[in-house]
Amino acid sequence: MSNSLQSRPVLSVRDLEVSFPSEAGRVQAVRGVDFDLFPGQTLGIVGESGSGKSVTSMAVMGLLPDHAAISGSVALEDRELLQLNDRQMSKIRGRDFGMIFQDPLSSLTPIFSVGRQIVEAQQVHQEVNRNLAWKRAVELLDLVGIPNAADRARSFPHEFSGGMRQRVVIAMAIANNPRVIIADEPTTALDVTVQAQILEVLELARTETGAALILITHDLGVVAGTADEVMVMYAGRPVEKAPVDELFARPRMPYTIGLLGAVPRVDAAERRPLVPIQGNPPLLIDQPPGCPFQPRCPISVPECAAQEPELAVLPTTHPGSHSAACIRAGQIHDGTITGASVYPVQQASPAPSEVLPREQRGTVLEVKALTKTFPLLKGTLLKRRVGSVFAVSGVDIDIRQGETLGLVGESGCGKTTTLLEIMNLRPPDHGSIRIGGVDVAGLKGRGQERALRRKLQMVFQDPMGALDPRLTVFDILAEPLQAVGESDRATIESRVGELMELVRLDPEQSDRFPNAFSGGQRQRIGIARALATKPELLVLDEPVSALDVSIQAGVINLLNELKAKLGLSYLFVAHDLSVVRHISDRVAVMYLGRIVEIGTVDRVFEDPRHPYTQALLSAIPVPDPQVERARERVILRGDLPSATDSSPGCRFVSRCPLHLTLDDTHRARCAGETPELSGREASDHLNACHFR
């Protein structure tokens, strides 16, 4: 972040408004956005989906469709951009503006090499010959951390991983030394370790070009560690704006306070319910007068419904630096108003795991030496096996009654394969799976499988993809009951109503279809369906990763409540270790098909032993600028090695920062001897590292 920002803004936006036609009326997507962006400054724009963040950036870039109505002012220094046509804007995009989108694959042409695309980006805006442009492309790829840049420049986008593709897009965005870089959710689809690398590259790109940066994200931790100033958007307009330290230390808008309270923190050991923001954002069609946040605001008063408040400057230690759109902002101090918390936190009911010692509770799931290998085939018509993919190699886990085990690791580490092997209820390639004491290898006939299936249910990542859009919610919840032999209509109706109430949905809405519900409500329906057969174990595959942070908090609270109320056990898969710490009792860290560390969540998070676990934890952003700036990150270089290699040795050796500090003898041991899970004395905190 820049300490000496120039006084003249490079980009000024005034009273920007954007609307779109729709069948229900005109959608006011952006309403009165104002900000100044200075050279070297990073502006973080945050808010829920539909708040107008991305539409604002697209309007600035001139990328909105012709049917969008745009008014106001967007000035690049002294040049007004809204008056320019598309041909004129195309000369500015890529030269003065660099854009980094969420999905790097959609930003790259699949039929051209990445080097050729960076060359083209230069030649469109500069008079430079192809040889010099190619040399510059290689230099840029090397700058953003692409190994063997001269060779990889001739590779095609599909030959890169997601993180490497995003590096290529960053290289392309800075090819012409732009004055403004706009990054729209640049790390959302990436693993936390790759996210840390991309944020490092983004900061390097900003430093190298001297450009101003607009960072659009829903992750408040990313904003805390990157931004100079933060603008919070709701219902198409800014509702709070302040320097990053000021906003995180003293938020004055109830919506901002709610967003911060909804975020689970990786550095917080205390298990308190998160603070979800109730309700859903408005539709932005024919908005009634008054504050648009009023229906969801816990401290609203009748005056809030009369008139929409302006974004007004607040008295602070730095006058003019903090503004909020709330008539009660002056009464809010440290998240409280008149001595009471803006968002009161409820005390959670103790779960069985907090009452009975672990050894006194029954085992719900036991997996021993689980192995899954897939054939690697070559050929089109006549396929032949040329190798094997070792997806899961000797995994041991167990879950006790009322316990949550978090399974974490990067994409491709074997988490989902492990889940599918458990859910399949078939004998694995090697090892054993016991559910409720029953070995799945001994199941005979559909009757026994159906009886065991009742004890084990799954909640998926994408709630809309998991629910049949042609069925009403009643039919969706009734289907698993009918599948296990329940035929009495009255019993089914009673159970459906009970399930709706259990996940805090109105039973009167059971005649609606899934598309009538919000994302968070659809995930609650998915949870209700999983609970229909009264299972003992729920397998949850990234159940909150597709949800906004405010909605995510409510679903996490619900899962914790259900565990305490029903005595459920969870196998919880996630890439967000902040969520895992908040919901799990124990955590298992996977790397390339193996468990490399396992133990109670507090021991693993407070005293990580394996270098990979240390890197994962250090990569998780904390929504606190002071903490973020003081943290030491372990940046992993490179991508996951191939899962087709079964040679002995530590699979993490090619990326391990500890390995680089060892002498030759110890390095030879890492390369030639596979480490086994072990712990100190009688501890149940185990890790697979020779030197930890």
Side-chain angles (χ1 to χ4, degrees):
M1 291 180 290
S2 176
N3 294 322
S4 57
L5 304 179
Q6 298 179 23
S7 58
R8 179 184 174 87
V10 65
L11 181 69
S12 293
V13 175
R14 291 289 180 271
D15 198 27
L16 180 65
E17 300 206 2
V18 180
S19 63
F20 300 94
S22 75
E23 293 181 357
R26 197 145 197 100
V27 179
Q28 301 293 328
V30 174
R31 304 179 303 122
V33 171
D34 292 328
F35 66 83
D36 287 320
L37 190 65
F38 295 87
Q41 181 189 27
T42 297
L43 171 67
I45 304 180
V46 300
E48 294 172 288
S49 298
S51 63
K53 308 185 301 296
S54 295
V55 175
T56 297
S57 69
M58 299 289 272
V60 169
M61 292 282 289
L63 292 175
L64 292 175
D66 292 338
H67 61 263
I70 310 170
S71 63
S73 171
V74 176
L76 182 66
E77 293 186 341
D78 296 326
R79 189 176 189 185
E80 176 58 52
L81 302 184
L82 293 187
Q83 298 174 356
L84 304 182
N85 58 36
D86 188 62
R87 180 183 293 273
Q88 293 170 320
M89 277 300 299
S90 66
K91 296 179 180 179
I92 293 175
R93 289 191 296 262
R95 185 189 66 195
D96 296 305
F97 283 126
M99 188 76 183
I100 303 166
F101 294 98
Q102 178 176 344
D103 179 13
L105 196 58
S106 66
S107 304
L108 298 170
T109 304
I111 61 173
F112 296 138
S113 70
V114 297
R116 178 176 174 181
Q117 294 183 60
I118 299 175
V119 167
E120 183 179 336
Q122 297 175 72
Q123 291 185 317
V124 165
H125 297 287
Q126 302 179 48
E127 291 185 4
V128 56
N129 67 55
R130 189 170 186 81
N131 290 334
L132 287 176
W134 183 268
K135 183 179 178 181
R136 169 72 171 157
V138 173
E139 290 174 351
L140 287 168
L141 291 175
D142 183 63
L143 178 69
V144 299
I146 300 291
N148 303 315
D151 295 330
R152 297 308 303 274
R154 303 185 185 281
S155 300
F156 292 86
H158 71 271
E159 298 178 275
F160 291 84
S161 66
M164 288 296 177
R165 283 195 289 263
Q166 195 64 291
R167 289 169 185 262
V168 172
V169 171
I170 293 173
M172 192 179 305
I174 66 174
N176 297 299
N177 294 316
R179 287 185 279 176
V180 177
I181 300 172
I182 300 177
D184 189 359
E185 299 277 9
T187 63
T188 297
L190 304 176
D191 286 311
V192 290
T193 51
V194 181
Q195 172 181 273
Q197 297 172 23
I198 295 302
L199 291 175
E200 183 186 49
V201 171
L202 204 55
E203 176 64 17
L204 176 64
R206 188 189 62 78
T207 304
E208 285 289 321
T209 61
L213 172 65
I214 297 177
L215 179 62
I216 298 169
T217 180
H218 67 277
D219 192 328
L220 291 166
V222 169
V223 168
T226 307
D228 297 296
E229 189 174 26
V230 183
M231 183 169 72
V232 182
M233 292 190 68
Y234 184 79
R237 66 187 292 254
V239 294
E240 187 160 12
K241 187 162 58 173
V244 64
D245 290 298
E246 171 73 15
L247 185 129
F248 278 82
R250 287 170 289 277
R252 306 289 284 276
M253 169 69 188
Y255 177 62
T256 308
I257 296 171
L259 286 180
L260 290 170
V263 179
R265 292 181 56 148
V266 73
D267 61 340
E270 186 180 2
R271 295 286 189 87
R272 292 196 307 168
L274 300 172
V275 185
I277 302 175
Q278 303 298 331
N280 297 298
L283 296 177
L284 302 181
I285 299 175
D286 297 327
Q287 274 283 96
C291 175
F293 188 60
Q294 187 260 341
R296 307 173 71 190
C297 182
I299 61 168
S300 65
V301 292
E303 291 80 4
C304 295
Q307 182 178 347
E308 185 170 10
E310 296 294 327
L311 188 68
V313 175
L314 304 172
T316 65
T317 53
H318 302 286
S321 64
H322 195 162
S323 52
C326 176
I327 62 173
R328 306 194 71 186
Q331 306 169 36
I332 297 174
H333 302 282
D334 297 326
T336 65
I337 185 166
T338 62
S341 177
V342 173
Y343 288 87
V345 179
Q346 303 295 324
Q347 292 299 317
S349 303
S353 58
E354 300 169 349
V355 178
L356 286 176
R358 187 172 192 266
E359 59 271 11
Q360 295 182 19
R361 288 177 274 123
T363 301
V364 177
L365 173 69
E366 184 179 30
V367 176
K368 286 190 174 182
L370 177 65
T371 299
K372 180 63 178 178
T373 303
F374 295 98
L376 186 63
L377 304 176
K378 187 176 182 180
T380 51
L381 296 177
L382 299 175
K383 294 186 180 295
R384 66 185 188 278
R385 185 167 186 162
V386 295
S388 300
V389 177
F390 302 94
V392 178
S393 304
V395 166
D396 292 339
I397 55 175
D398 71 296
I399 302 176
R400 301 297 177 98
Q401 191 269 332
E403 180 178 76
T404 300
L405 174 69
L407 190 60
V408 302
E410 295 171 289
S411 299
C413 72
K415 304 187 303 293
T416 300
T417 302
T418 301
L419 297 194
L420 294 177
E421 285 295 290
I422 293 169
M423 294 298 300
N424 194 34
L425 296 188
R426 297 286 187 275
D429 292 353
H430 180 72
S432 65
I433 301 172
R434 301 178 70 89
I435 300 171
V438 178
D439 192 331
V440 299
L443 295 178
K444 297 179 180 178
R446 294 185 60 84
Q448 290 186 0
E449 182 181 329
R450 180 178 293 178
L452 191 60
R453 182 71 70 188
R454 298 186 66 150
K455 300 180 180 181
L456 178 69
Q457 292 294 320
M458 189 165 184
V459 178
F460 297 91
Q461 177 177 359
D462 178 13
M464 196 60 189
L467 304 176
D468 191 332
R470 300 167 298 177
L471 299 180
T472 65
V473 171
F474 180 90
D475 292 330
I476 288 170
L477 299 184
E479 188 177 39
L481 297 171
Q482 295 163 346
V484 296
E486 183 60 66
S487 58
D488 183 67
R489 180 73 179 181
T491 302
I492 291 175
E493 289 180 353
S494 174
R495 180 60 177 160
V496 168
E498 180 184 337
L499 290 168
M500 292 285 283
E501 291 178 348
L502 201 58
V503 297
R504 299 192 176 177
L505 293 176
D506 186 355
E508 296 295 324
Q509 297 178 349
S510 64
D511 59 346
R512 298 184 181 182
F513 291 90
N515 61 6
F517 295 85
S518 67
Q521 290 172 325
R522 286 196 287 263
Q523 193 61 288
R524 289 172 183 262
I525 295 168
I527 294 169
R529 182 179 64 177
L531 295 174
T533 61
K534 299 182 179 180
E536 297 176 4
L537 174 67
L538 285 190
V539 175
L540 303 119
D541 188 8
E542 300 275 11
V544 296
S545 64
L547 306 177
D548 276 315
V549 63
S550 56
I551 308 301
Q552 170 184 282
V555 174
I556 292 172
N557 286 347
L558 174 66
L559 290 171
N560 279 328
E561 291 169 12
L562 292 173
K563 184 174 79 168
K565 184 176 183 179
L566 304 177
L568 293 169
S569 301
Y570 297 147
L571 175 55
F572 190 94
V573 168
H575 70 275
D576 189 336
L577 273 75
S578 304
V579 173
V580 169
R581 177 156 204 183
H582 191 83
I583 201 170
S584 299
D585 303 295
R586 291 170 58 79
V587 61
V589 182
M590 286 192 77
Y591 186 80
L592 269 186
R594 294 182 181 273
I595 302 292
V596 297
E597 187 159 4
I598 188 169
T600 63
V601 69
D602 288 335
R603 284 193 177 185
V604 172
F605 277 67
E606 292 171 10
D607 183 25
R609 305 278 178 79
H610 197 281
Y612 179 60
T613 310
Q614 294 170 354
L616 282 181
L617 292 175
S618 76
I620 299 293
V622 175
D624 185 325
Q626 303 291 339
V627 174
E628 270 296 281
R629 284 196 284 267
R631 292 176 75 204
E632 183 178 347
R633 279 211 160 83
V634 180
I635 302 294
L636 295 182
R637 306 299 176 185
D639 294 318
L640 285 167
S642 173
T644 60
D645 184 7
S646 64
S647 57
C650 176
R651 296 190 172 192
F652 188 57
V653 68
S654 62
R655 305 171 73 197
C656 181
L658 175 63
H659 179 73
L660 300 176
T661 67
L662 301 176
D663 59 34
D664 292 343
T665 302
H666 289 152
R667 287 189 183 188
R669 186 183 179 193
C670 292
E673 180 183 339
T674 303
E676 300 294 334
L677 280 171
S678 61
R680 300 174 184 172
E681 300 173 354
S683 171
D684 66 346
H685 183 184
L686 309 176
N687 83 95
C689 178
H690 294 306
F691 306 106
R692 290 291 187 183

